[in-house]
Amino acid sequence: MTDKLTRGVHHIGLTVPDLDQARRFFCDVLGFDEVGGVPAYPSIFVSDGAVLITLWRAADPTTARAFDRRANIGLHHLSLAVTDDAALELAWDKVSAHPEVVVDVAPCAIRPGSATRHFLIFIPGGIRIEFATPFVTG
C-alpha cells in the first residue's frame, strides 16, 4: 500500500502533575501560546504554531506514578524541532537555565558523525523532551 492513511501529528497529550507549572514552562520559557482547555477535565492546550500539545492534570498528582521510559510502554520522549544550530543554542540557554529542568543530555550530535544536533531534558513534572535540529541524511 503506497497511500498513507495519516498526515502527521494532530496533537500530543501529556499528563502532568501541575498544570500551572507546565503552562509556565511551555508558555513562559518556550514561548508557546495557550490556545484553549477544558477546566472541568482539567486541561490546557498550548501551541507553538506547528504542534498542539494537550496538558492534562493527573487525577491525583500525589499518588500518580512517574513514567519510567525504560520499564513502561508509552511515550519515551517528545522531540521538538528547532530550525538550526543557533536556535538549538538559544533553546539550550533558556531551557537549561530553568531551575526546575533536569538536563539528561547536553547539546551534541544525535549520533557520531551526524550533522543533526540535539539535547534532552526533563521538564518540571518529569516529562522527557528533546530539542533537535533538522534531520540530515547522507
Side-chain angles (χ1 to χ4, degrees):
M1 176 182 217
T2 59
D3 291 331
K4 312 275 188 296
L5 294 177
T6 64
R7 296 286 184 243
V9 174
H10 182 274
H11 73 275
I12 298 158
L14 301 174
T15 302
V16 299
D18 184 320
L19 276 180
D20 290 330
Q21 179 187 53
R23 176 191 296 113
R24 285 191 304 272
F25 181 78
F26 279 95
C27 296
D28 297 348
V29 177
L30 299 182
F32 277 55
D33 295 315
E34 184 174 345
V35 296
V38 180
Y41 195 74
S43 65
I44 60 169
F45 312 143
V46 297
S47 178
D48 67 357
V51 65
L52 177 66
I53 299 176
T54 302
L55 301 168
W56 309 94
R57 192 194 72 216
D60 184 356
T62 62
T63 61
R65 291 187 358 219
F67 179 78
D68 180 339
R69 71 184 193 279
R70 295 176 186 241
N72 302 110
I73 302 299
L75 182 69
H76 185 271
H77 67 279
L78 168 65
S79 184
L80 298 173
V82 298
T83 56
D84 54 28
D85 284 339
L88 185 77
E89 291 303 321
L90 179 60
W92 170 253
D93 291 345
K94 290 184 99 174
V95 169
S96 64
H98 191 286
E100 296 173 289
V101 162
V102 175
V103 173
D104 187 21
V105 175
C108 63
I110 204 160
R111 64 183 161 279
S114 175
T116 301
R117 296 183 63 237
H118 74 148
F119 68 86
L120 291 112
I121 59 150
F122 292 94
I123 68 169
I127 295 171
R128 190 171 185 239
I129 295 187
E130 176 181 38
F131 295 77
T133 60
F135 180 70
V136 179
T137 60

